[in-house]
Amino acid sequence: MIGPSESNDVALIASCWTTAGAVSPLDEDQRSPAPFAARVGIAADVGFAGFGITHADIAALNDTIGLNAARDILADSGIQFVELEMLMDWFTIGPSREASDRIRYDLLRAATVLPVRHIKVGSTYGSMHWPMDGIAQELRILSSQAADVGVRIALEPQAMANIRTPQDAMEVIERADHSAAGLLLDIWHIERIRLPLETIRAIPHELIVSTELSDADGHVQGTLLEDTVNGRLLCGEGSFRVASFVDAVRATGYQGPWGAEILSHAHRARPLEDAIRAAYASTRDAVHS
């Protein structure tokens, strides 16, 4: 189900890891230790309009309160829409594709119950080459499945993945030629590949499904994967061109939501309410500056 269309107010999304508490995407068990209702309630109380949910969250909800109860919690809190993540390896073959297909099924099923706006998808890590036409064909199929349940696919170019730049992603999206397929622009990946922001301004706004904001130190700490999981700071705490990135995205005509995606050792160590409140305040300031 698609959430309500954006109003003139700026809608902010509490991306899943922003509210997950003391758990990391690198952990074997990625379920949040914080109760779902508490996470949703805090996010809504501080002002977030959207709420991110991982596949691990979906599995935990299925095993506990169920998706219908989760839908009621979201509705009662005032959260307007949900962002689901993360689907990787959706165009591969073998065991990785089999695992990806199971996640795809769960996310699409959740979208028939929860007020889902879009599903975040990445690509794959590693050096194996995948033909662009094959990726585009798979994206068309995935986008058609998403459209059947009323949501869009937000393809996120990632600095350490084979779909690395917004231009890579746009080529896939254009070849897929499906209205449900679009881009997710995450400042962390843009900054880590040192992409000129003029290239963002040239993106057609209708292709941008959502965005994500954070900040980080000027130098990568560890691998790119370790850095993105452990070193994302609040907006204004690092060296990223946050204000310039926001201006470049807005120059396209984009009027959709802005995600707060904060992942770091420090963020996970904070009390949950303090962490979510700080993420909201810094992201709000970044988009209103």
Side-chain angles (χ1 to χ4, degrees):
M1 295 178 289
I2 293 178
S5 60
E6 285 76 35
S7 67
N8 292 329
D9 295 332
V10 177
L12 301 186
I13 305 172
S15 297
C16 62
W17 299 109
T18 298
T19 72
V23 63
S24 158
L26 298 180
D27 292 343
E28 182 176 353
D29 184 353
Q30 297 178 10
R31 293 172 297 178
S32 171
F36 181 77
R39 294 169 63 193
V40 171
I42 296 168
D45 286 348
V46 304
F48 282 109
F51 188 82
I53 302 176
T54 63
H55 178 255
D57 291 329
I58 294 297
L61 289 170
N62 282 329
D63 290 342
T64 55
I65 64 173
L67 292 181
N68 288 335
R71 177 196 59 207
D72 294 342
I73 289 169
L74 290 160
D76 291 344
S77 74
I79 289 290
Q80 298 172 32
F81 60 88
V82 162
E83 169 186 78
L84 294 181
E85 66 170 281
M86 180 74 164
L87 185 65
M88 304 287 289
D89 299 324
W90 42 273
F91 52 80
T92 63
I93 58 176
S96 64
R97 175 60 185 268
E98 292 171 5
S100 179
D101 284 349
R102 289 191 292 271
I103 293 172
R104 180 194 305 218
Y105 175 84
D106 289 345
L107 295 180
L108 290 171
R109 178 179 174 275
T112 67
V113 180
L114 304 177
V116 176
R117 181 183 185 273
H118 60 268
I119 298 173
K120 286 174 57 176
V121 306
S123 48
T124 190
Y125 304 146
S127 59
M128 185 169 180
H129 173 73
W130 298 93
M132 189 67 75
D133 284 340
I135 298 174
Q137 181 178 359
E138 292 290 346
L139 180 60
R140 187 182 306 116
I141 294 168
L142 175 59
S143 299
S144 178
Q145 292 170 340
D148 286 344
V149 294
V151 304
R152 291 192 74 184
I153 294 298
L155 175 57
E156 179 178 7
Q158 297 171 299
M160 55 283 196
N162 66 333
I163 297 179
R164 187 167 181 261
T165 70
Q167 290 67 39
D168 294 337
M170 283 194 296
E171 182 177 354
V172 174
I173 291 166
E174 288 165 2
R175 292 192 190 194
D177 192 25
H178 196 290
S179 59
L183 274 171
L184 187 141
L185 296 176
D186 181 339
I187 189 174
W188 189 93
H189 296 286
I190 301 299
E191 288 288 81
R192 284 308 191 219
I193 63 172
R194 303 184 185 279
L195 188 77
L197 294 181
E198 285 304 311
T199 63
I200 299 295
R201 293 174 178 268
I203 296 173
H205 69 85
E206 62 271 14
L207 287 186
I208 306 174
V209 176
S210 192
T211 59
E212 289 179 337
L213 295 176
S214 62
D215 212 331
D217 291 337
H219 299 288
V220 174
Q221 305 295 318
T223 66
L224 282 170
L225 183 58
E226 290 167 341
D227 190 58
T228 197
V229 167
N230 297 324
R232 291 190 184 223
L233 306 175
L234 300 173
C235 295
E237 290 187 342
S239 64
F240 283 0
R241 302 163 291 174
V242 178
S244 296
F245 174 79
V246 171
D247 287 345
V249 174
R250 283 198 167 129
T252 69
Y254 176 74
Q255 296 182 348
W258 298 83
E261 185 166 58
I262 313 300
L263 296 88
S264 68
H265 293 305
H267 186 75
R268 290 189 285 272
R270 293 187 180 108
L272 188 64
E273 182 170 353
D274 293 349
I276 297 173
R277 190 174 297 278
Y280 175 81
S282 64
T283 308
R284 177 201 60 205
D285 290 349
V287 299
H288 285 292
S289 61

